[in-house]
Structures are given as C-alpha cells and as structure tokens.
Amino acid sequence: MLVKPENLRGAANICSDSGKRPLAAMFGADETLQGGGLAIYCLFYNAEKRDIDVLKAPFPADGPLEYQSLTTLLPAAAWYERELHDMFGFEPQGHPDMRPLVLHESFPEGFHPLLKKYPKDYDARGHREYEMLTSQGEGLFEVPVGPIHAGIIEPGHFRFSQAGEAMLQLDAKLFFTHRGIEKAVEGLTPMEALPIVERICGACSVANTLSFCQAVEKCSEAEVPYRAWLIRTLAAEMERLYNHVGDTGNICAGVGFSPVISMGARLKEYLMQLNEMIAGNRFLRGLIIPGGVQYDVTDTMLEEIEEVLREVEAVYADMVHIMWEQANFVNRIRTTGRVRQETAFDLAMVGVGARASGSTRDSRKDIGYGIYDELDFEVITETAGDVEARIKVRIGEVAQSLKLVRQLISKLRRNAETQLAVELGELQQEEGHFTWGISESARGDNLHCLLLDKEGRIDRLFVRSASYPNWPALTVAVQGDIIPDFPLINKSFELCYACIDR
C-alpha cells in the first residue's frame, strides 16, 4: 500500500487492524539513485494470509521529512522511529522520546549515515548530547551498570533508579559497537555481501543467512532443491538447540547455580562440535548460500548426530530435573521479571519472550517458509510471563527441536537427490518494491528486507534481528523487582548485543 506521509499514521492503524496485527518492522530507504526520494516502509504480520503486509510512504528528496509519529498508536514503533531519525533524518512529530538511539555522543549533529550522499568511508566525528532517563524523588538513587561488564559480553549501559533494593525504572543505552553493516553492503552483489551477513551475530548465523538468502531467492524464478531445504532446516534447528541448551545453563548463572551452569556448557560444546562436523566451523557459516547449500550431509554424519543427541537429551533431562527440585531456585524465578501479555503484544515481542507471555507467534508456523509445513512440531507457550515461564518455553523448544532434527534425519536418509544448489540467474525486483526473508532463530524471528538496483547489486539491506523488538521489554520486566534479580531477568531473555549493533 502506498500512502502520503501525512496519511502514514492513519494507514498504519488500518494495516495493523487497530493494533491486532503486530508491527514487524519499520525501516527507511534513500531511493534517490533509483530516481525516487526517501521512503519509510512499515511491515505488519498477517497471520490470516501467512504473509507480511507492507505500507510505504514516499518523501520527496528535497522536501521536509516530517510525519505524525506512530509510537503513541503502536508502542512497538518507538525504537524504529528513533533509528529512522538517526540514520535518515526523518522527524516523527509527537514522539515521546527523541533521544539518539544508534548514534551516540561521538557523532555530529545532522549526520545521517544511510543517506546516499555520505560515502562509506566518511569521517564522522563530532559531539551530541545524550541524557539518561532517571526517576527523581526523596530517597531515590541511581545505580549505573556498564557499558563494560565482567566476562566477554558486549557493551551496554544500564541506569537503574532505585528505592532501596527495588528497581523503579531502568534506562538501557545500547548500540555502543554499531558497525555500519547495512551501509557496508551497499553496492555489493548478494554473494559478496554473504560473508558479512553471516557474521552479523555468531549465535544467529544460520537465521540471518537463511533470511537473507530467502530475500535474494525471491528475486529469481529458480527453485531451491528439496535436499538443500532439508539441510538448511537441519542447520537451523541445530543452531536453535545449542542456543537453548546453553541458555538454560546461562540463566542459572544469574543465581550462581554452578552444577547446572557446567552441565549446560558441556552439552552446548557437544552440539557445537556437531556443527563443526556439518559445516567445518562451530557457527555453521559457509553452509547456506543463495540458491541452496554448499555441503551435503552424509549418512555417517547423520549417525553421529543421532548418537550425540541421544546423550544430550538424557543429560539435559537430568539438568532440568536438578533445576526443578531446588526450591530456592524455583522461588527466585517464579513471579520474577514478569511481562504481561498485553505488554508483549504492544511491543510486538517475538520468540521465547513473547511465547512465555501467551503469544503463539512463530514464523515457522505463521509464515511456513521452507519445508516447515510438512514437519510435525508444536509451538510451546506459557502465560505467566516471568523468568520461570521463559525457562519452561526453552525446555519445551529443546524437545521440539530434537523431534524436528530426527524427522529431518529420516527424510535425508530417504532422499536420494544429489543437487544441492541452483544458479539464480539474473536477479530482478518489481520497480519500487523490495523482497524479504524471515527465519525463526532461538530468540525469535529474524527479518531481512532487500532492495536491489538495476544491476542486481544491493541498494538497501535492512536487518531486524529478534533481539531488536525484545530489548525494550527488559526495561518493563524489571520494574518492582530487586536489583540482585536483574542478572537473572536479563539472562532469561538472553538478548543479543551484536544483532542490534549491525
């Protein structure tokens, strides 16, 4: 749907069906090199059509970039609109918080890096103000945490407003290591961009690559071979498994539950060794390519996967049993870090965070990409919305992924096809339109939107990771809990810094 900027808010309300269809993403594009101006795209999940509805508002290249903010109508738009301002200079009128999101104090005012007038090697140095939000009142105080943390996690600054031990408010400042990936891939062919896309995030390498490849493949009439989809899906579920198993242990690190931490780390190592056997590396990079996959999976590999998964399943069951029989641990996680179902829907949360609060959204079911429609699995949900619910969803998803991997192994053994990839030929898009790809990572759905120029090179790539819509929920989840529970709540979401620092 194409609308004028002044009608964007009203059209968004219609596309969202008055908020019933969640906002999947918002992104901007500078289309001046293609003969247009600037544009804002709004994407909405449409479960009935098993598709994504797209709303586009074009702006003249030399005109004002103002429009009425969507945030007060759709709270999920808050971060997207701040990023649209940072990267393109759009001005959402009536937005409640127009502080910079991606560009921190070291960037100059008026610098919007995704405009085509700025080259990739532009030296952007300057200063802008950034104010942390805190609560004020007698007896209140602040606790700053980060951006540098213990261990090897990436930077993020958290400012707590405290009344004793109780957390009244949390303001999170992220995007410290913004890498300019979306700018870096401009002008590249999809194959040239592939190694960059694979490295957006280590833990979501398959999910990002699979989303990107689907967006590319929609520009071609070629069909990806069935065996390639079997191997792609196997890789996706293996990535989900090692994340969920490791994260189950990591959550327990929030309370110093050492035996479970060690068991989770050991099982994750077994699974990552399987990844190395399949793809030659522990993060499954280099396996998925536009048009298919690069490597086959042999019967010997399938036997090894089955054997290791049997052991992982047994030890993981012991690990879960140890967790639930510890009353002190259960007491710490129950009713802690709650996110209400209404909040999860308003923020358009995805993945474990959403499904622990009653959502049934899962792109493997809702969109049905690849071969998921012919596989038997359930979407695991809980309703309490607390740390315990998020752990239970992960445990359930481990069981479902084991079930899916075994189905895929059976199908691979019966499939005698030898073709692993096809040539996509000349890539073409309908003028003024983009293609998209989606995949369900361990954290939720990853969405890639691709605009090509007339030569088939990337004009705009927008990446929305699963962590992006879930980070704002963390600031809501902590309210009213005590500050010693913050590591536990944070780890229960297991959000990624790198995914948003694209």
Side-chain angles (χ1 to χ4, degrees):
M1 183 189 296
L2 199 66
V3 298
K4 296 179 179 179
E6 59 267 27
N7 297 329
L8 179 58
R9 180 182 168 94
N13 189 40
I14 294 172
C15 284
S16 70
D17 194 10
S18 299
K20 295 176 184 176
R21 293 179 185 145
L23 179 70
M26 282 181 74
F27 70 95
D30 182 346
E31 300 173 351
T32 53
L33 297 183
Q34 311 307 318
L38 274 65
I40 292 177
Y41 292 87
C42 301
L43 285 67
F44 297 89
Y45 296 102
N46 191 324
E48 293 83 6
K49 294 187 343 187
R50 305 189 79 193
D51 202 351
I52 289 178
D53 295 332
V54 179
L55 181 64
K56 178 181 180 181
F59 291 73
D62 55 353
L65 298 179
E66 298 177 353
Y67 68 99
Q68 193 175 4
S69 172
L70 308 188
T71 296
T72 53
L73 178 70
L74 303 170
W79 265 27
Y80 295 111
E81 292 191 318
R82 289 171 66 186
E83 183 170 322
L84 283 166
H85 176 73
D86 282 358
M87 309 309 276
F88 293 94
F90 288 106
E91 297 285 351
Q93 302 299 301
H95 193 288
D97 179 16
M98 279 308 294
R99 292 176 299 161
L101 181 72
V102 180
L103 305 181
H104 287 190
E105 292 91 335
S106 61
F107 288 94
E109 293 283 0
F111 170 65
H112 306 293
L114 288 185
L115 294 177
K116 298 298 185 185
K117 67 180 181 181
Y118 294 107
K120 295 179 184 180
D121 59 355
Y122 185 82
D123 187 11
R125 299 181 184 274
H127 178 75
R128 61 175 66 192
E129 297 296 325
Y130 190 101
E131 180 183 358
M132 298 298 296
L133 299 181
T134 58
S135 298
Q136 304 295 322
E138 184 177 353
L140 302 186
F141 59 94
E142 300 174 24
V143 177
V145 176
I148 306 303
H149 303 274
I152 58 171
I153 66 171
E154 295 174 69
H157 178 66
F158 303 99
R159 187 73 60 89
F160 298 89
S161 296
Q162 297 289 134
E165 285 197 321
M167 295 178 283
L168 299 183
Q169 179 178 331
L170 168 61
D171 191 22
K173 181 181 180 184
L174 305 170
F175 300 89
F176 278 89
T177 54
H178 173 65
R179 292 166 288 168
I181 287 175
E182 294 177 352
K183 186 75 172 181
V185 299
E186 289 181 4
L188 302 182
T189 66
M191 284 303 295
E192 291 170 341
L194 184 63
I196 301 174
V197 171
E198 287 184 313
R199 287 158 178 81
I200 292 173
C201 168
C204 306
S205 181
V206 171
N208 278 311
T209 307
L210 189 51
S211 295
F212 176 72
C213 286
Q214 288 181 79
V216 174
E217 288 154 5
K218 286 179 179 178
C219 303
S220 167
E221 295 182 357
E223 290 287 334
V224 175
Y226 182 71
R227 187 170 184 86
W229 267 116
L230 289 172
I231 296 170
R232 285 176 166 192
T233 311
L234 175 68
E237 294 305 318
M238 292 298 293
E239 182 175 79
R240 181 187 312 281
L241 262 179
Y242 89 73
N243 272 283
H244 278 340
V245 168
D247 289 347
T248 305
N250 287 339
I251 293 169
C252 296
V255 294
F257 199 170
S258 299
V260 177
I261 301 169
S262 299
M263 293 173 76
R266 180 160 60 93
L267 294 180
K268 179 180 178 181
E269 176 61 25
Y270 293 161
L271 293 167
M272 296 196 77
Q273 287 176 8
L274 286 181
N275 292 348
E276 188 167 9
M277 178 189 72
I278 294 168
N281 63 86
R282 293 160 64 86
F283 294 105
L284 295 165
R285 291 171 180 151
L287 175 63
I288 299 173
I289 58 173
V293 294
Q294 290 214 78
Y295 313 118
D296 202 356
V297 180
T298 66
D299 286 342
T300 303
M301 291 180 179
L302 296 177
E303 290 173 6
E304 178 71 12
I305 292 170
E306 281 185 317
E307 183 178 341
V308 172
L309 291 189
R310 277 193 293 270
E311 180 176 358
V312 167
E313 185 175 29
V315 178
Y316 188 73
D318 289 342
M319 175 176 152
V320 170
H321 178 72
I322 292 170
M323 289 165 54
W324 294 138
E325 72 175 3
Q326 297 297 318
N328 288 339
F329 173 71
V330 174
N331 183 57
R332 285 291 299 275
I333 64 176
R334 186 166 292 167
T335 72
T336 300
R338 293 188 68 178
V339 177
R340 295 179 303 131
Q341 185 173 6
E342 295 84 352
T343 302
F345 188 84
D346 286 345
L347 296 178
M349 291 177 65
V350 298
V352 170
R355 292 192 283 272
S357 294
S359 172
T360 59
R361 280 175 51 201
D362 186 320
S363 61
R364 296 173 297 174
K365 288 280 191 184
D366 298 341
I367 303 297
Y369 61 90
I371 59 169
Y372 276 108
D373 278 350
E374 60 185 73
L375 299 173
D376 178 28
F377 68 101
E378 299 174 13
V379 176
I380 305 299
T381 63
E382 293 286 334
T383 57
D386 56 6
V387 173
E388 181 183 26
R390 289 187 281 277
I391 293 175
K392 286 181 176 179
V393 170
R394 274 195 178 82
I395 293 169
E397 291 200 358
V398 167
Q400 294 302 311
S401 285
L402 287 168
K403 180 180 177 181
L404 283 166
V405 169
R406 286 168 179 145
Q407 292 176 62
L408 291 162
I409 288 174
S410 176
K411 288 178 178 290
L412 280 163
R413 283 187 172 135
R414 296 197 306 269
N415 181 267
E417 189 177 355
T418 58
Q419 187 179 20
L420 299 178
V422 293
E423 291 290 334
L424 296 182
E426 184 180 356
L427 301 178
Q428 295 182 336
Q429 288 180 327
E430 186 178 347
E431 187 174 347
H433 291 73
F434 67 90
T435 53
W436 56 269
I438 197 168
S439 65
E440 191 74 17
S441 75
R443 292 165 176 81
D445 62 70
N446 281 12
L447 179 65
H448 286 225
C449 300
L450 179 68
L451 286 142
L452 299 177
D453 63 20
K454 295 177 181 178
E455 297 178 355
R457 293 181 174 271
I458 296 173
D459 186 65
R460 173 79 169 103
L461 173 66
F462 169 73
V463 178
R464 197 276 284 144
S465 75
S467 293
Y468 192 98
N470 285 357
W471 269 112
L474 176 64
T475 65
V476 177
V478 303
Q479 293 176 2
D481 287 308
I482 59 174
I483 198 166
D485 281 339
F486 174 70
L488 184 62
I489 299 169
N490 189 19
K491 290 177 185 297
S492 74
F493 286 97
E494 204 61 48
L495 303 176
C496 181
Y497 295 87
C499 276
I500 62 172
D501 280 335
R502 75 228 187 274

